[in-house]
């Protein structure tokens, strides 16, 4: 079943392009493709990869550079020129063999930052997918509600027309005529309300993929909904605690802070450093013939801190330790939050399933009852009040069915999201 969403020319004067066709999967895929937010997080991940590569290079790869210098002009050389005898060229290699493991800690921390950025990208993707699902479901839901209210309006219009004729024939009172007209006017107002909701949902749908708000779309109906989750609540909590990327990021931040403490502890120790360097001059045969061609060294340095410097190191260590303890408390609190969230969502999901099943039954009963009351009213065996109540019941039941179906679909996605599971995978 396909529902065509067309904005009305009375609302928008701009010319409409050809309607684009979507199902929920193609709409989500398009949203992910064009999302500026997702691109931002993807760029952050790439920057984290580069930062880790830089830390790796600092730890394991020697520093190297080529250097060239020449005396262009001086008091002993009055002409502006480059001469071989006044030039120097060399290549230099240097490597920090040991420096209190500072570079090692920086490398490990950059790896944790990369893990965090990758999870943040995944979480943002989940958020965008759920938002796209909601926009799509809202568009379908308000289209259905608009159809229901328009059908109800037509029913009230028909009844008002009959009531007018019955009044002329002396079969109904003037009070019945006024009540029929009042119901018809209220039905028109309700149609306008849902028409506006419907149009706004279409604009939100287009905005999610950066299209003009008045462009038309042809949306395919959802095929159905998943069954209720089979696992127990305790098993669901276990899955969520193991899978939730937010909790994994908090634990990665804890490890990051633990590494920071180890680095701060190293600052209390004497700064011990071993470095090696090698240089070769005369590259391209540009050097003073009397200068040595090769030079190398193995350097050792030791720096013992004392005095006022120790107070600042103590402050830095205390700050790092406090940050680690706070993070541990935050992790415990977040685990409790996950447990509470899963239990609450499971209750909501169970209710949503029951509500949908009851709504299907109510829809069938109210429709049948309305037809019976209409027939009785035409035969003069039912009052206008009975007819009005039957029409209201049917409108409420049909609206409730539309809302409960899409609410159930979204609640199932929200529950999967809370478990830390992929709520959508590209087909």
């Amino acid at each position: 079943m396909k529902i065509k969403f067309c904005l009305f020319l009375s609302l928008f004067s701009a010319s409409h392009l050809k309607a684009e066709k979507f199902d929920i999967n193609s709409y989500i895929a398009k949203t992910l493709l064009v999302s500026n937010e997702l691109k931002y997080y993807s760029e952050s991940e790439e920057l984290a990869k580069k930062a880790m590569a830089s830390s790796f290079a600092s730890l394991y790869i020697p520093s190297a550079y080529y250097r060239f210098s020449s005396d262009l002009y001086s008091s002993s050389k009055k002409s502006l020129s480059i001469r071989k005898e006044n030039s120097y060229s060399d290549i230099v290699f240097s490597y920090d063999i040991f420096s209190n493991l500072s570079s090692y800690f920086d490398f490990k921390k950059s790896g944790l930052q990369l893990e965090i950025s990758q999870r943040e990208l995944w979480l943002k993707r989940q958020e965008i997918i759920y938002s796209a699902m909601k926009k799509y479901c809202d568009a379908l839901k308000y289209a259905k509600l608009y159809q229901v209210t328009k059908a109800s309006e037509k029913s009230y219009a028909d009844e008002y027309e009959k009531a007018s004729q019955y009044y002329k024939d002396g079969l109904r009172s003037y009070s019945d005529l006024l009540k029929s007209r009042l119901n018809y006017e209220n039905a028109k107002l309700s149609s306008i309300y849902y028409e506006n909701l419907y149009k706004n949902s279409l604009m939100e749908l287009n905005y999610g993929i950066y299209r003009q708000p008045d462009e038309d779309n042809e949306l395919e109906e959802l095929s159905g909904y998943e069954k209720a989750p089979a696992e127990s609540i305790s098993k669901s909590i276990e899955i969520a605690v193991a899978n939730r990327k937010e909790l994994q990021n908090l634990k990665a931040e804890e490890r990051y802070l633990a590494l920071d403490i180890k680095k701060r502890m190293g600052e209390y120790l004497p700064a011990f450093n071993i470095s090696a360097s090698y240089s070769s001059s005369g590259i391209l045969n540009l050097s003073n013939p009397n200068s040595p061609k090769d030079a190398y060294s193995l350097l050792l340095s030791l720096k013992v801190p004392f005095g006022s410097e120790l107070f600042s190191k103590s402050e830095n260590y205390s700050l790092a330790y406090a940050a680690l303890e706070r993070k541990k408390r935050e992790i415990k609190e977040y685990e409790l939050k996950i447990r509470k969230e899963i239990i609450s969502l499971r209750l909501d999901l169970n209710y949503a399933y029951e509500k949908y099943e009851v709504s299907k039954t109510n829809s069938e009963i109210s429709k049948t009852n309305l037809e019976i009351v209409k027939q009785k009213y035409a035969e003069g065996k039912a009052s206008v009040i009975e007819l009005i109540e039957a029409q209201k019941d049917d409108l409420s039941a049909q609206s409730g069915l539309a809302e409960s179906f899409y609410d159930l679909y979204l609640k199932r996605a929200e529950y999967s999201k809370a478990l830390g599971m992929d709520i959508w995978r590209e087909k």
Side-chain angles (χ1 to χ4, degrees):
M1 175 184 176
K2 291 186 177 180
I3 302 174
K4 188 171 182 182
F5 294 81
C6 297
L7 296 181
F8 295 87
L9 292 176
S10 59
L11 179 64
F12 298 108
S13 59
S15 60
H16 288 200
L17 302 177
K18 184 178 179 180
E20 188 168 353
K21 295 182 179 180
F22 289 110
D23 60 16
I24 193 165
N25 291 313
S26 61
Y27 180 73
I28 291 172
K30 181 68 175 288
T31 303
L32 292 173
L33 180 65
V34 302
S35 172
N36 289 333
E37 282 187 291
L38 199 63
K39 289 174 183 175
Y40 174 86
Y41 278 81
S42 181
E43 290 164 353
S44 297
E45 181 194 21
E46 289 301 315
L47 291 174
K49 287 180 181 178
K50 292 184 182 298
M52 186 176 178
S54 177
S55 296
F56 177 86
S58 297
L59 182 59
Y60 294 110
I61 301 176
S63 171
Y65 62 87
Y66 169 76
R67 177 173 56 190
F68 170 79
S69 63
S70 181
D71 187 2
L72 294 178
Y73 185 84
S74 66
S75 58
S76 61
K77 178 175 170 289
K78 300 298 184 181
S79 60
L80 185 66
S81 62
I82 297 178
R83 296 179 182 176
K84 180 178 179 180
E85 60 271 19
N86 300 114
S87 300
Y88 180 80
S89 175
D90 70 343
I91 188 167
V92 178
F93 297 90
S94 64
Y95 183 63
D96 193 3
I97 298 174
F98 181 82
S99 183
N100 282 33
L101 298 178
S102 178
S103 297
Y104 171 77
F105 290 135
D106 288 339
F107 173 64
K108 296 292 287 184
K109 286 163 69 176
S110 68
L112 290 171
Q113 287 283 24
L114 176 57
E115 288 180 23
I116 291 170
S117 66
Q118 288 172 335
R119 292 191 193 100
E120 286 178 343
L121 174 61
W122 188 89
L123 287 168
K124 178 54 65 173
R125 183 177 180 273
Q126 288 277 91
E127 181 184 320
I128 290 170
I129 290 170
Y130 182 77
S131 177
M133 284 181 173
K134 188 174 186 311
K135 288 182 174 69
Y136 194 93
C137 287
D138 281 349
L140 292 177
K141 177 173 72 174
Y142 289 125
K144 284 279 185 70
L145 291 173
Y146 180 48
Q147 289 174 358
V148 168
T149 53
K150 286 300 288 184
S152 178
E153 179 188 339
K154 184 178 184 305
S155 175
Y156 280 115
D158 292 343
E159 293 305 322
Y160 175 58
E161 185 177 347
K162 290 178 182 178
S164 299
Q165 187 60 47
Y166 292 156
Y167 173 70
K168 290 178 182 178
D169 297 340
L171 301 176
R172 290 288 185 270
S173 67
Y174 185 59
S175 176
D176 286 348
L177 177 63
L178 292 178
K179 287 177 182 177
S180 296
R181 181 179 177 183
L182 180 61
N183 289 329
Y184 173 52
E185 296 296 335
N186 285 332
K188 287 197 296 183
L189 187 61
S190 182
S191 294
I192 293 172
Y193 173 75
Y194 281 104
E195 179 186 354
N196 290 342
L197 290 177
Y198 157 63
K199 291 175 181 178
N200 281 312
S201 69
L202 289 178
M203 289 191 287
E204 283 294 321
L205 191 83
N206 281 326
Y207 182 74
I209 52 176
Y210 305 121
R211 298 180 76 211
Q212 294 298 324
D214 58 338
E215 289 189 51
D216 294 340
N217 295 304
E218 192 172 309
L219 304 184
E220 192 170 294
E221 182 57 272
L222 299 177
S223 58
Y225 64 93
E226 298 181 37
K227 295 181 179 179
E231 71 274 1
S232 65
I233 292 181
S234 59
K235 182 62 177 178
S236 297
I237 292 172
E238 183 182 332
I239 293 171
V241 171
N243 290 345
R244 286 285 287 268
K245 296 293 190 292
E246 302 95 321
L247 185 59
Q248 291 173 11
N249 269 359
L250 288 174
K251 291 180 177 179
E253 290 169 6
E254 180 189 15
R255 296 195 298 274
Y256 182 95
L257 292 170
L259 286 172
D260 195 42
I261 282 184
K262 290 180 180 179
K263 184 177 178 181
R264 299 295 182 189
M265 289 176 64
E267 292 177 356
Y268 279 104
L269 302 174
F272 183 69
N273 178 266
I274 301 176
S275 62
S277 66
Y278 169 80
S279 66
S280 178
S281 61
I283 306 300
L284 302 179
N285 203 26
L286 296 173
S287 68
N288 190 319
N290 296 322
S291 63
K293 294 294 183 182
D294 299 306
Y296 48 84
S297 65
L298 182 64
L299 301 176
L300 180 148
S301 66
L302 181 67
K303 179 183 176 183
V304 181
F306 61 90
S308 61
E309 187 178 351
L310 292 176
F311 288 91
S312 63
K313 293 182 183 298
S314 177
E315 180 187 8
N316 291 337
Y317 177 81
S318 297
L319 290 171
Y321 182 81
L324 178 60
E325 291 301 308
R326 289 169 183 168
K327 189 60 65 177
K328 289 178 179 179
R329 294 194 294 269
E330 186 179 354
I331 289 171
K332 290 181 179 179
E333 183 179 349
Y334 203 83
E335 287 179 348
L336 286 174
K337 178 183 176 182
I338 288 175
R339 294 173 186 273
K340 176 177 175 294
E341 183 179 350
I342 293 300
I343 294 172
S344 179
L345 282 174
R346 185 61 174 266
L347 294 174
D348 289 347
L349 184 58
N350 290 339
Y351 175 76
Y353 277 110
E354 292 299 326
K355 183 180 178 181
Y356 177 63
E357 293 300 326
V358 171
S359 295
K360 286 197 296 184
T361 303
N362 288 345
S363 173
E364 295 169 1
I365 293 173
S366 64
K367 187 178 290 294
T368 302
N369 182 61
L370 178 60
E371 294 303 319
I372 294 172
V373 174
K374 278 184 177 180
Q375 183 63 32
K376 287 183 176 181
Y377 181 75
E379 296 171 355
K381 297 178 181 179
S383 68
V384 68
I385 294 177
E386 289 177 292
L387 177 61
I388 292 169
E389 288 301 318
Q391 289 172 322
K392 286 181 179 179
D393 289 343
D394 184 59
L395 175 60
S396 177
Q398 302 307 323
S399 300
L401 178 61
E403 288 184 337
S404 63
F405 174 78
Y406 298 110
D407 289 347
L408 173 57
Y409 187 92
L410 288 174
K411 188 59 69 174
R412 190 66 179 87
E414 186 181 359
Y415 184 71
S416 297
K417 182 169 173 280
L419 291 176
M421 300 167 60
D422 280 313
I423 56 174
W424 180 84
R425 291 184 180 179
E426 192 164 1
K427 306 300 181 184

